[in-house]
Amino acid sequence: MAEPLIFGPHRKAEAVVIPFELYEKLIPAIEEIEIAELVRERSKAGEPTPLGDLAESIGLDPADYR
């Protein structure tokens, strides 16, 4: 497998080109990181509201949707 190619000005790494085979292996980890980011964002939104409470708050009877 080819080695990653790191480049940038004045020996300061700015980017990397990686072999496609390595990229394919990294996709699951990248997806996990993206999902974790979404979970953190949504956790900051506060406590979740149960669907039944939400339905009642807009005038619906939750029993109609069981």
Side-chain angles (χ1 to χ4, degrees), residues 13-26:
E14 274 191 10
V16 63
V17 177
I18 61 173
F20 189 75
E21 183 180 312
L22 177 57
Y23 169 74
E24 287 181 313
K25 290 178 182 178
L26 291 173

Side-chain angles (χ1 to χ4, degrees), residues 6-65:
I6 301 169
F7 57 95
H10 307 291
R11 296 185 184 216
K12 179 183 175 197
E14 274 191 10
V16 63
V17 177
I18 61 173
F20 189 75
E21 183 180 312
L22 177 57
Y23 169 74
E24 287 181 313
K25 290 178 182 178
L26 291 173
I27 288 174
I30 293 167
E31 289 172 346
E32 290 293 326
I33 292 168
E34 290 171 342
I35 291 168
E37 207 171 287
L38 283 172
V39 169
R40 280 191 294 276
E41 284 177 25
R42 291 177 182 175
S43 294
K44 291 178 185 176
E47 290 296 313
T49 302
L51 185 56
D53 293 352
L54 181 61
E56 287 178 0
S57 74
I58 60 172
L60 300 173
D61 183 356
D64 292 341
Y65 301 97

